[in-house]
Amino acid sequence: MKKTLRITGAALAGAVALAMTAGSALAYDGTNCKAPGNCWEPKPGYPEKVAGSKYDPKHDPKELAKQGDSIKEMEARNAKRSAHFKETGKWVYDVSKL
Amino acid sequence: MRRFHSIGGYVSASCVALALGGLLAGAANANDRLVEMAKNPENYVMPGLDYTADNYSEMDQINTGNVKDLRVAWTFSTGLLNGHEGTPLVVDGVMYVNSSFPNNVYALDLKNPGKIKWQYKPKQDPAARAVACCDLVNRGLAYWPTDDKGKTPNLILSNQLDGHVVALNADTGEMYWKVENSDIKVGSTLTVAPYVVKDMVIVGSSGAELGVRGYATAYNVKTGEQVWRRYATGPDAEIGIGDDFNKDNPQYGQKGLGLATWEGDAWKIGGGTNWGWYAYDPSLDLIYYGSGNPSPWNETMRPGDNKWTMTIMARNADDGMLKWGYQKTPHDEWDYAGVNVMMLSDQNIDGKDLKLVTHPDRNGIIYTLNRVNGDLVRADFLDDTVNVWTHVDMKTGIPVRNPEYGTRMDHKGKDICPSAMGYHDQAHDSYDPERGLFYLAINHICMDWEPFMLPYRAGQFFVGATLSMYPGPKGDRANYLGLGQVKAYSAPEGKYKWSVMERFAAWGGTLATKGGVMFYPTLDGYLKARNSDTGELLWKFKMPSGGIGYPMTYEHDGTQYVAVYYGVGGWPGVGLVFDLQDPTAGLGAVGAFRNLQNWTQQGGGLLVFSLDGKGPYSEDVNLDEYSTEIITDGT
C-alpha cells in the first residue's frame, strides 16, 4: 500500500524527487491511495472538499430523500399485493381494492 | 488452444433426452431445468442463450461453406418504431418477441408464425418517455419454466419503461403478477432484460442520468414477492457487503467505501444503475453484472472514488450479498457506465485452468477476472487509441490515469478516447469456446467534454456536461464515418486475432456458431456474417432498418434459423429518432451520428433467416390459408 503523497507549499521542493518516483503525484493519476479502494485526490487547484467552495453542489436534503421515500412506498404496496396473492391466488394491482 | 466446455454449451443427444426427462419428471429445480433447456438447440431460453452468456450455438447446419445461401424465411413487424434491442426467446416451439415502448410482447407459434398466438400490450403512463435518457428501448424477456406441474404456469417476465415488472402466463399471455420496481417520478425507468435464476427474477435499474441511485432486485417468480434488493452506493448493509467481501483481493477495497468515497450525502443520488446484462454460474451460485456510472457526469460535484459504481459485481443468488467487487473506473469522469456484457468461459491462462468472466467495458478496457474470487487476470485495451489510461496496474487493479484526458470544471477536455458512448456499449457479444475467441462489437468514438454546475431535482435530468463526439483516430473525422469496429479477441494471448472497421458503431452485439460463422447487425441496416477464424465477410443482407439487438439462432423441424431485430435507435439513434440537429444534443450523440440518416430510417421488427429461405411457408404454401378451394366460373 502506497502512502498518500500530498504536496503543499514548503514541502513541494523536497517532494519533487519523491513525486517523480511515485509516478505523477503532481496530478491525479489514481495511484496514490489513502486506503485500499480509496485513491481519489483533488486535481491541482481543486478543493479536497467541495462543500463551501465555488463548486459546492448545495444539495437540498429534501430532494435527496425523495428516491428513498419512493422506494419504501413501492415496496409497501408490492408487499400488500403479493400477500393478497398468496392468500387468494388472485393478483390485484390496485392496492385500494385490497 | 486447449478446449474447455462452457457451462451448458455442449449438446449431445443424451443431454437433450436428459432435458426432456427432467422436464417430465419435474424433479430438477428451475435453474437446473433452464440449464438443460438451454442445451437443446430448439430453445433460446434467456438473454445470451445460456448462463455463460456466451451467445455461442453448437449448431453447424449454417456454416462457412453455405452461409451465402442464407435468405429470409419469414418476418414480423412489431408495429412500433424506436430502437429494438435484445433478441427474441424461443421455448418449446414458441417465439417470444419484445418491443420498444410501450413494451408489447408477442408470442408466435413457429409452426405458423403468421398467426399471433397472444399479445400483451401494457398501458403505461406516457410520461415515462420523458425520463428515458437514450431512446425508448428494452433489452428483452426472460422465461421461467414451471416446476410444480402447472400450479404456477410457465412464465414470461418483462420489464416496462414505466418501472413495472410483469410476469405473464407463457401459454396465454395473461398477466400473472405485476410489481412496481422503479418510479418515473424520481427519474427511474427500466430498459434492462429480466434474468431468471432458480425461482427468482433479477431486475436491474436505469436513471443515472437523472441521479438515480442504482439497485438490483430479486423477486420470487411464483409470488412476486421481493427476495432481496441491493444498492450500488451507501451503507454496506444496503450494498450487500459482509465480512468476506473481497477477502482474496483486499486491495480492491472492502468495508465502508460506499459512504467513505463520497462527500456527504452525494451517494444518495450517486448513480450506479445496472441496465446491461447478467451471467450466472450455478456451481458458484454467483450472479455477475456491472454497475453503471456515478451521478452527475460533472466529476467536480462528487469528489471521491464513488464506490461501488462502475464495478464488476459477483453476488450470491440467494441473498444478493457481494462475494467480490472490482471497481473498473474509480471516480468516473467520462460516463463510462460499467454495465456491459459479462461472458463466462473456462480457459487456460498462463498455465492455469481458470473459471473466468470477461467483460469489455465502456472505458476502453476488456477485463478478464477469475470469477471465483475476482482475481484480475487480463486488462487489455479494446483499441490502441485508448488514451484516458496509460495501463492497468495488474497488482493493485488500479487503472493509471493520463491526467491530460481527465475532465474537470472550468476546462474543456479534448480528443478524449473513448467517448462517453464507450469503445463498447450495450452490445451483447459472444464467445466461441472451440476457438477460444470473443467476438466484440466495438465503438470507435472520441469526444470533447466540458462540465457545468447544476442542481439536483428529483425527476429531472442531472447530467452537467456538454459533449461533442466524433470518430476515433482510425475513422474518417472529416466525414463522420468509421465509428465502429468488430474484433476477435483471445484472452490467453491478450491479443486480437482479427479486426475490421465498420462505418458506424457496432452497437448490437454478436452471435458465434460452431459452423465457423459469426453474425452481427449494423446501424446502417445490414446483418453480416463473417468467418470466425479470419474475419472475412461471407454474407450480408440489407434489413429494413439498422440493428441494435443481437442475433440468435435456433432449430425448428430440423432447420437452423438465425433471427435478429431491426429498428434503429438507442443512444446512437437519438438524433434520427427525435429529429435533433444540434450536434451536442442527445448527450452528444447527435453530432457523431449525423450521417446515420443517410443509410437508414426507423423500423421495428424481426427477420428470420434460413438456408435458401426454407421455412413453414416454403414447405407448404397452403399453410395459414383461409381457404384453399379455388372457385372458378366453369368456363
Side-chain angles (χ1 to χ4, degrees), chain B residues 34 36-50 59 74 87-98 106-111 113 141-145 155-156 170 550-557 559-565 606-608:
Chain B
L34 275 180
E36 293 305 320
M37 290 172 82
K39 290 176 184 170
N40 181 345
E42 294 189 346
N43 290 330
Y44 192 101
V45 289
M46 68 178 82
L49 197 153
D50 63 25
M59 273 181 283
W74 56 274
T87 206
L89 301 183
V90 168
V91 189
D92 295 336
V94 178
M95 178 178 280
Y96 301 94
V97 173
N98 66 297
Y106 302 96
L108 308 174
D109 187 334
L110 293 177
K111 286 198 180 77
L141 306 167
Y143 180 81
W144 177 82
L155 295 172
I156 287 288
Y550 57 99
M552 57 83 83
T553 186
Y554 65 94
E555 186 185 309
H556 183 71
D557 278 350
T559 299
Q560 182 184 355
Y561 295 88
V562 172
V564 70
Y565 289 138
L606 172 80
L607 299 175
V608 182

Side-chain angles (χ1 to χ4, degrees), chain B residues 186-216:
Chain B
V186 297
S188 186
T189 51
L190 280 177
T191 59
V192 65
Y195 199 68
V196 168
V197 167
K198 300 185 185 180
D199 291 334
M200 291 178 291
V201 56
I202 315 299
V203 176
S205 50
S206 289
E209 280 58 57
L210 295 95
V212 171
R213 177 191 178 207
Y215 52 96

Side-chain angles (χ1 to χ4, degrees), chain B residues 138-406:
Chain B
N138 176 279
R139 295 189 187 84
L141 306 167
Y143 180 81
W144 177 82
T146 184
D147 68 341
D148 51 12
K149 300 202 167 157
K151 191 179 159 220
T152 307
N154 295 317
L155 295 172
I156 287 288
L157 288 307
S158 175
N159 293 336
Q160 299 179 183
L161 189 71
D162 69 356
H164 286 101
V165 181
V166 292
L168 307 174
N169 182 320
D171 303 315
T172 64
E174 283 170 309
M175 196 261 282
Y176 192 68
W177 56 253
K178 174 180 173 181
V179 296
E180 297 172 85
N181 185 81
S182 309
D183 181 1
I184 59 169
K185 291 193 185 66
V186 297
S188 186
T189 51
L190 280 177
T191 59
V192 65
Y195 199 68
V196 168
V197 167
K198 300 185 185 180
D199 291 334
M200 291 178 291
V201 56
I202 315 299
V203 176
S205 50
S206 289
E209 280 58 57
L210 295 95
V212 171
R213 177 191 178 207
Y215 52 96
T217 312
Y219 297 94
N220 182 323
V221 287
K222 295 183 185 179
T223 62
E225 264 180 307
Q226 186 174 313
V227 182
W228 52 259
R229 171 164 282 165
R230 301 292 181 191
Y231 291 82
T233 68
D236 283 351
E238 295 180 21
I239 298 171
I241 288 174
D243 289 339
D244 68 347
F245 172 63
N246 275 346
K247 71 175 162 51
D248 288 351
N249 288 288
Q251 75 280 12
Y252 293 171
Q254 294 174 295
K255 290 190 173 183
L257 296 169
L259 296 171
T261 60
W262 296 85
E263 182 177 326
D265 285 344
W267 58 270
K268 289 184 177 176
I269 51 168
T273 50
N274 62 292
W275 46 269
W277 307 102
Y278 302 90
Y280 172 61
D281 185 333
S283 70
L284 300 168
D285 205 20
L286 292 175
I287 297 167
Y288 303 90
Y289 69 88
S291 57
N293 58 291
S295 305
W297 288 11
N298 181 345
E299 67 85 38
T300 305
M301 292 174 65
R302 45 169 174 77
D305 271 9
N306 308 134
K307 282 188 165 54
W308 289 93
T309 64
M310 306 300 227
T311 297
I312 299 176
M313 295 181 160
R315 289 195 185 275
N316 181 287
D318 290 330
D319 58 12
M321 292 295 282
L322 273 175
K323 173 93 191 279
W324 57 264
Y326 167 68
Q327 190 183 41
K328 298 159 289 181
T329 306
H331 186 71
D332 171 53
E333 303 183 358
W334 314 269
D335 180 39
Y336 293 151
V339 304
N340 291 357
V341 65
M342 302 281 172
M343 291 170 284
L344 309 188
S345 68
D346 296 348
Q347 298 191 68
N348 186 289
I349 296 195
D350 301 335
K352 289 181 213 149
D353 290 348
L354 297 171
K355 289 171 181 284
L356 302 168
V357 53
T358 295
H359 170 78
D361 195 65
R362 288 262 280 271
N363 72 6
I365 298 169
I366 179 164
Y367 297 89
T368 296
L369 292 89
N370 181 324
R371 71 176 181 266
V372 179
N373 65 0
D375 288 350
L376 188 59
V377 176
R378 286 283 184 274
D380 295 310
F381 285 166
L382 284 166
D383 192 76
D384 54 14
T385 56
V386 168
N387 62 18
V388 292
W389 319 110
T390 61
H391 65 289
V392 175
D393 181 328
M394 296 302 288
K395 211 167 151 189
T396 60
I398 292 171
V400 180
R401 309 162 91 95
N402 183 343
E404 192 182 337
Y405 297 105

Side-chain angles (χ1 to χ4, degrees), chain A residues 43 46 55 67 70 77 93, chain B residues 164 183 211 333 407 409-410:
Chain A
K43 291 171 183 159
Y46 289 76
Y55 302 120
Q67 291 180 42
S70 161
R77 288 192 293 270
Y93 177 80
Chain B
H164 286 101
D183 181 1
E333 303 183 358
T407 71
M409 274 296 294
D410 307 318

Side-chain angles (χ1 to χ4, degrees), chain A residues 19-63:
Chain A
M20 307 254 305
T21 53
S24 56
L26 287 169
Y28 168 46
D29 73 353
T31 63
N32 302 310
C33 304
K34 293 185 196 68
N38 193 348
C39 311
W40 178 82
E41 295 176 284
K43 291 171 183 159
Y46 289 76
E48 172 88 25
K49 296 263 177 206
V50 287
S53 79
K54 70 171 172 168
Y55 302 120
D56 189 340
K58 295 179 185 156
H59 291 312
D60 176 349
K62 278 188 211 144
E63 291 291 328

Side-chain angles (χ1 to χ4, degrees), chain B residues 577-590:
Chain B
V577 166
F578 299 108
D579 197 20
L580 306 173
Q581 316 297 333
D582 176 353
T584 65
L587 304 170
V590 171

